[in-house]
Amino acid sequence: MARVLISMPEEFLNKIDQVADGENRSRSELIREALRTYIYKQKVRESTSAGKNAELLEALLQ
């Protein structure tokens, strides 16, 4: 697995640690899941947007 170094405000890191501790998992595990969720939501938004654009184009071409 690759390692990534990121910078963030100390108070944000503290909040991440609190959530991770509350869910009994590591900081890395929590951040990986958050990024997976973000990427999935982006794909859904892109797909939804593409679908709406296709419907508009289809309506214009009729």
Side-chain angles (χ1 to χ4, degrees), residues 4-18:
V4 177
L5 179 66
I6 62 171
S7 299
M8 68 181 67
E10 191 74 31
E11 63 184 54
F12 188 58
L13 183 59
N14 290 337
K15 289 178 184 179
I16 290 170
D17 287 340
Q18 288 174 357

Side-chain angles (χ1 to χ4, degrees), residues 36-51:
R36 274 193 296 269
T37 301
Y38 177 83
I39 291 167
Y40 172 77
K41 286 181 177 183
Q42 282 295 106
K43 286 181 182 179
V44 168
R45 275 185 231 133
E46 288 172 7
S47 176
T48 301
S49 178

